[in-house]
Amino acid sequence: SQKIEQNSEALNIQEGKTATLTCNYTNYSPAYLQWYRQDPGRGPVFLLLIRENEKEKRKERLKVTFDTTLKQSLFHITASQPADSATYLCALDEGSQGNLIFGKGTKLSVKP
Amino acid sequence: EAQVTQNPRYLITVTGKKLTVTCSQNMNHEYMSWYRQDPGLGLRQIYYSMNVEVTDKGDVPEGYKVSRKEKRNFPLILESPSPNQTSLYFCASSLPGLVYEQYFGPGTRLTVT
């Protein structure tokens, strides 16, 4: 079955720098891949979705890329701020159009 | 306000005592889902529902039941809770199709002693 790996459990960066988070999957390329933000004790919040035929998607300071050859998605936050500190999750559809699997997340800490 | 609500938010119970966690959404979404989140294991899908009267197992369905009798509600039932079901539970909903932008509820923290 499909597996998702988010390589870093934690990422610490300085304010103003670009944060880059990685999401790798193991088997077939999904039709799309999603990224969520989760703050402690709260439910995840949807950020971006990228389809398999899209190489890049942007939303304000966020950018997501999707490389089906590498089986990888990268999530970038440019000009990072302390308020960006949170756990970021990637997710994809197992193939059953509804059976979603999530990575374990990367906890991002942005220091002032 | 568009939202997903869950009740209760916190629950401490004993092994074997049946319980139901309710989930309701006011966005007329067809798709609803339940997840549990555990340290080191991440978010795992328990059950999902593509529409009324249509439910399917996720990755960790054992020990849980669901029902979808109406579009807005998707209760999670633990017939005989056990300590290994102690977890943080999230309900989510979205429109169907390939775009599964999910809206999550605030979570229910369940402790089974």
Side-chain angles (χ1 to χ4, degrees):
Chain A
S1 62
Q2 186 78 277
K3 288 184 182 175
I4 293 186
E5 292 173 358
Q6 293 188 246
N7 292 351
S8 301
E9 282 191 19
L11 179 64
N12 299 311
I13 64 168
Q14 206 66 32
E15 182 176 7
K17 301 292 187 185
T18 296
T20 299
L21 285 64
T22 305
C23 178
N24 294 292
Y25 55 93
T26 56
N27 295 338
Y28 57 87
S29 283
Y32 59 88
L33 197 144
Q34 302 180 40
W35 284 88
Y36 289 80
R37 169 185 172 137
Q38 186 175 24
D39 292 289
R42 308 191 73 165
V45 174
F46 174 82
L47 295 175
L48 280 169
L49 177 148
I50 186 164
R51 299 176 187 272
E52 62 178 334
N53 61 350
E54 296 174 320
K55 285 203 161 62
E56 182 179 299
K57 200 85 168 274
R58 290 176 185 261
K59 179 182 175 182
E60 298 172 353
R61 293 185 295 112
L62 309 180
K63 184 178 86 170
V64 173
T65 62
F66 196 0
D67 188 327
T68 55
T69 302
L70 294 178
K71 296 187 177 181
Q72 182 179 83
S73 175
L74 298 179
F75 177 82
H76 307 272
I77 305 176
T78 58
S80 59
Q81 304 165 1
D84 295 326
S85 298
T87 296
Y88 291 86
L89 309 170
C90 65
L92 56 79
D93 187 333
E94 171 67 58
S96 306
Q97 297 199 11
N99 184 201
L100 290 172
I101 58 173
F102 281 78
K104 293 179 183 179
T106 296
K107 185 176 181 179
L108 174 67
S109 296
V110 181
K111 305 294 184 189
Chain B
E1 180 192 351
Q3 59 182 353
V4 178
T5 57
Q6 295 179 226
N7 282 294
R9 294 289 314 281
Y10 303 90
L11 179 60
I12 300 173
T13 190
V14 296
T15 298
K17 186 176 180 182
K18 180 179 178 180
L19 67 91
T20 299
V21 184
T22 64
C23 174
S24 183
Q25 49 92 6
N26 63 0
M27 295 168 279
N28 202 36
H29 284 166
E30 293 181 5
Y31 176 91
M32 296 185 75
S33 182
W34 274 105
Y35 298 88
R36 61 178 289 174
Q37 189 170 37
D38 303 287
L41 296 177
L43 204 60
R44 295 178 293 166
Q45 192 175 46
I46 304 171
Y47 270 96
Y48 61 99
S49 170
M50 300 293 280
N51 211 330
V52 175
E53 302 292 0
V54 180
T55 61
D56 280 293
K57 295 178 181 178
D59 294 321
V60 288
E62 295 77 21
Y64 304 95
K65 282 175 58 177
V66 292
S67 69
R68 188 88 183 276
K69 294 190 171 70
E70 47 190 346
K71 188 183 271 191
R72 64 182 292 125
N73 295 323
F74 190 42
L76 179 70
I77 303 156
L78 284 72
E79 294 268 2
S80 184
S82 62
N84 65 12
Q85 292 179 298
T86 292
S87 187
L88 179 58
Y89 291 87
F90 290 103
C91 180
S93 73
S94 82
L95 291 169
L98 284 180
V99 182
Y100 285 113
E101 173 186 337
Q102 294 189 90
Y103 294 79
F104 281 80
T108 294
R109 189 167 291 282
L110 172 65
T111 302
V112 184
T113 61

